[in-house]
Amino acid sequence: MKKKHLVSITDYSKEDIFKILDLAAEFEKNPNQNLLNNKVIATLFFEPSTRTRLSFESAISRLGGKFIGFTNASSSSVSKGESLKDTIMTVANYSDMIIMRHPVEGSARWASEVSGVPIVNAGDGSNQHPTQTLLDLYSIRKTQGTLENLNIYFVGDLKYGRTVHSLLQAMSMFNTTFNFISPEELKIPDEYKLFLDKKGLKYYEHRDFSEIISHADIIYMTRIQRERFSDPMEYEKTKNSYVLKNEMLGNTKNNMKVLHPLPRVNEIDIDVDENEKAYYFTQALNGVYTRQAIITYILGLKNN
Amino acid sequence: MEINDKKLQVSAIKNGTVIDHIPANILFKVINILRLDKIENQITFGSNFESKKYGKKAIIKLSNVYFKDNDINKIALVAPKAKLNIINNYKVTEKRDVQVPDTIIGIAKCGNPNCITNKEKVTTKFTTISKDNIALKCHYCEKITDLEHLDIL
């Protein structure tokens, strides 16, 4: 049965996920389909996220739909003190689906409980960003041919990075082996290690990022942000220790791909971009197909 | 009727409920959770009694008050080792333990300051993920609140 909303990746079963990935593959072959004719989609960005918003708006446009919305809270009634509930209940009257990005955790779940139309969570604070997770899964399956039994290396900010946490939760359904490479300050939180322990999955933690990546099927890079460090000296010392350079890819597996949710700062050297193992820009393109799949799946416009 | 010195520390009740083995430092939280300030029956409180098992403990005696499981289990969040004695005619006729409920609605506050439940008027809702070392997962922000960060509304 199709789902009414997409709030958290953990609401979706393997079956839901495969249906969306299969649909996304169809959109990759044939991206322009008039399925959203006469539909209005609201894109409510309570905080700016240009990349995610453009990806969604591109997906809606390729499906022949119209979109309404705002690109940051200051240009909406939120700046007048309107509650999230009132904004959602109002916009639900104007649209067939609401895609929302909000800085507060749990805002999308709350919206889904008050909205008369489907809610798609485009990021709620540090909590979930499930459309990113689905496009990551699409990219992994496409490049590896499977999601099962892969060896994934997460690198960088594993403490605050919600894309890491959501992808970890999703990949835990596929017998993944996890490797976590991060500075001590930004290590993977215990609750995720407990989660993997309970599932009986293997994981390894590393502080040093140099010659241990030769077994990787996927290297998932993330940005280390200055503001995450209480000690600026620590940041200066750390920031260059988790940079991926082209020379490091020499003895990696042939099927290995480098992913990154973008935007990148300096954690992937630009000399990696020319390497065929660099996949992050194609990953962003896959985001459009995956979002087309999510929208049409939830609205029930594709029967399969 | 058997009366010993220990029992006389707080006067006996004829009929009602005695809540024993409450950690002394959370007596007032228990009073709040059970909304005992709204009850008109006779209530006796005692606190800072020596307890071999739990250090200092508190006790609450309520005349002619009986709790439903759903109501009394709310205190299990702060006093998981509390014991209920149901009193009939000065005698304990039933002893009950408290159980941490699987879902907790509207009692606890989410420990995450950036959770929607702490920003807008939303009733809190948690799934209990550990009953021994209390850990509650917020239905909204999905963050975990442990006993140390647990506030009762």
Side-chain angles (χ1 to χ4, degrees):
Chain A
M1 211 195 82
K2 78 183 178 72
K3 288 281 196 292
K4 193 176 176 220
H5 306 280
L6 175 56
V7 171
S8 174
I9 193 68
T10 54
D11 298 340
Y12 275 47
S13 65
K14 249 182 173 175
E15 200 188 348
D16 295 318
I17 289 171
F18 283 136
K19 276 191 179 155
I20 287 170
L21 301 190
D22 291 345
L23 271 178
E26 231 180 89
F27 283 114
E28 181 170 357
K29 283 192 205 116
N30 183 13
N32 298 310
Q33 300 187 37
N34 243 0
L35 296 161
L36 284 184
N37 201 12
N38 298 323
K39 299 268 189 231
V40 176
I41 311 288
T43 53
L44 307 188
F45 280 67
F46 295 86
E47 69 178 2
S49 173
T50 311
R51 188 178 316 275
T52 303
R53 182 172 56 81
L54 292 180
S55 175
F56 268 113
E57 292 177 355
S58 171
I60 296 164
S61 302
R62 288 198 185 283
L63 292 167
K66 303 233 175 4
F67 55 86
I68 56 170
F70 47 82
T71 58
N72 66 72
S74 63
S75 63
S76 77
S77 51
V78 180
S79 62
K80 297 172 189 158
E82 188 181 52
S83 70
L84 175 63
K85 180 182 176 183
D86 287 12
T87 307
I88 295 296
M89 290 189 77
T90 308
V91 176
N93 291 325
Y94 306 153
S95 59
D96 299 296
M97 168 182 272
I98 295 173
I99 293 160
M100 62 179 280
R101 157 76 68 120
H102 198 285
V104 171
E105 287 108 47
S107 52
R109 178 77 62 197
W110 174 232
S112 75
E113 291 173 359
V114 298
S115 169
V117 300
I119 297 285
V120 172
N121 183 5
D124 62 326
S126 69
N127 183 33
Q128 286 273 342
H129 192 3
T131 65
Q132 176 73 45
T133 309
L134 285 163
L135 81 87
D136 290 342
L137 292 173
Y138 183 76
S139 300
I140 294 170
R141 192 176 78 161
K142 195 182 162 202
T143 58
Q144 307 301 318
T146 177
L147 291 172
E148 300 285 345
N149 309 315
L150 296 173
N151 199 345
I152 298 194
Y153 283 65
F154 288 103
V155 184
D157 178 357
L158 309 187
K159 184 175 180 187
Y160 298 100
R162 71 180 164 200
T163 53
V164 170
H165 302 158
S166 299
L167 186 56
L168 178 154
Q169 288 173 331
M171 287 304 291
S172 72
M173 292 191 265
F174 303 104
N175 193 35
T176 303
T177 302
F178 296 91
N179 281 273
F180 302 115
I181 307 174
S182 73
E184 176 72 26
E185 292 83 349
L186 298 175
K187 66 182 183 191
I188 189 88
D190 286 346
E191 70 177 273
Y192 293 102
K193 290 196 265 175
L194 281 171
F195 171 81
L196 295 177
D197 284 336
K198 271 191 189 164
K199 294 222 158 199
L201 292 170
K202 279 187 278 198
Y203 60 87
Y204 306 93
E205 282 189 277
H206 316 272
R207 296 285 160 261
D208 183 34
F209 178 34
S210 50
E211 288 166 7
I212 47 169
I213 53 176
S214 57
H215 299 295
D217 296 306
I218 294 288
I219 298 177
Y220 197 96
M221 298 294 299
T222 62
R223 190 156 45 104
I224 293 182
Q225 290 164 308
R226 185 189 301 267
E227 57 269 28
R228 301 300 188 199
F229 282 80
S230 49
D231 181 357
M233 301 265 286
E234 231 6 82
Y235 170 74
E236 289 304 320
K237 207 174 82 188
T238 308
K239 68 173 182 187
N240 296 324
S241 313
Y242 298 89
V243 174
L244 185 67
K245 297 191 176 77
N246 195 37
E247 69 200 34
M248 295 161 72
L249 297 174
N251 58 353
T252 52
K253 289 166 75 170
N254 289 333
N255 61 307
M256 196 281 284
K257 294 287 182 237
V258 179
L259 303 189
H260 190 303
L262 304 181
R264 152 181 69 170
V265 184
N266 72 332
E267 58 280 2
I268 302 176
D269 195 294
I270 55 162
D271 70 5
V272 178
D273 295 359
E274 302 308 315
N275 194 311
E276 60 177 17
K277 291 172 181 171
Y279 195 73
Y280 26 94
F281 293 115
T282 314
Q283 182 188 0
L285 172 62
N286 292 339
V288 177
Y289 308 136
T290 309
R291 288 176 173 120
Q292 287 183 291
I294 291 163
I295 294 167
T296 49
Y297 175 69
I298 290 177
L299 289 176
L301 301 171
K302 273 277 183 185
N303 302 318
N304 67 326
Chain B
M1 188 179 62
E2 190 188 73
I3 296 175
N4 61 31
D5 287 354
K6 203 176 160 193
K7 284 197 173 151
L8 282 175
Q9 282 180 312
V10 181
S11 62
I13 56 171
K14 187 176 179 193
N15 296 301
T17 305
V18 173
I19 309 171
D20 199 358
H21 296 298
I22 303 166
N25 59 344
I26 58 104
L27 170 63
F28 290 93
K29 273 192 181 170
V30 172
I31 292 169
N32 278 336
I33 292 170
L34 296 175
R35 309 227 185 277
L36 298 186
D37 55 333
K38 304 284 192 289
I39 290 182
E40 295 190 352
N41 302 49
Q42 282 187 14
I43 312 176
T44 322
F45 303 107
S47 192
N48 294 327
F49 297 120
E50 296 297 333
S51 160
K52 277 176 198 151
K53 281 185 193 162
Y54 311 114
K56 301 228 177 211
K57 70 166 186 177
I59 191 164
I60 304 173
K61 299 193 174 195
L62 304 115
S63 280
N64 301 309
V65 175
Y66 304 92
F67 293 98
K68 288 182 192 146
D69 277 351
N70 274 351
D71 292 328
I72 198 68
N73 281 342
K74 292 175 182 174
I75 73 166
L77 279 183
V78 292
K81 288 170 179 166
K83 296 267 183 296
L84 256 69
N85 295 314
I86 315 302
I87 312 289
N88 275 308
N89 202 16
Y90 296 107
K91 283 201 176 108
V92 177
T93 54
E94 190 192 340
K95 281 178 179 277
R96 270 154 60 190
D97 293 325
V98 294
Q99 299 273 349
V100 180
D102 294 327
T103 8
I104 290 151
I105 297 170
I107 305 165
K109 188 175 178 305
C110 181
N112 171 16
N114 199 39
C115 174
I116 189 73
T117 60
N118 290 318
K119 302 275 184 183
E120 285 196 13
K121 211 170 170 185
V122 181
T123 306
T124 62
K125 190 173 165 190
F126 298 90
T127 313
T128 307
I129 56 168
S130 165
K131 295 191 177 187
D132 300 330
N133 288 313
I134 295 284
L136 308 178
K137 185 171 185 182
C138 177
H139 166 70
Y140 291 97
C141 75
E142 305 183 22
K143 300 270 188 282
I144 291 164
T145 298
D146 59 16
L147 193 57
E148 192 191 335
H149 300 95
L150 184 69
D151 270 330
I152 300 300
L153 293 169

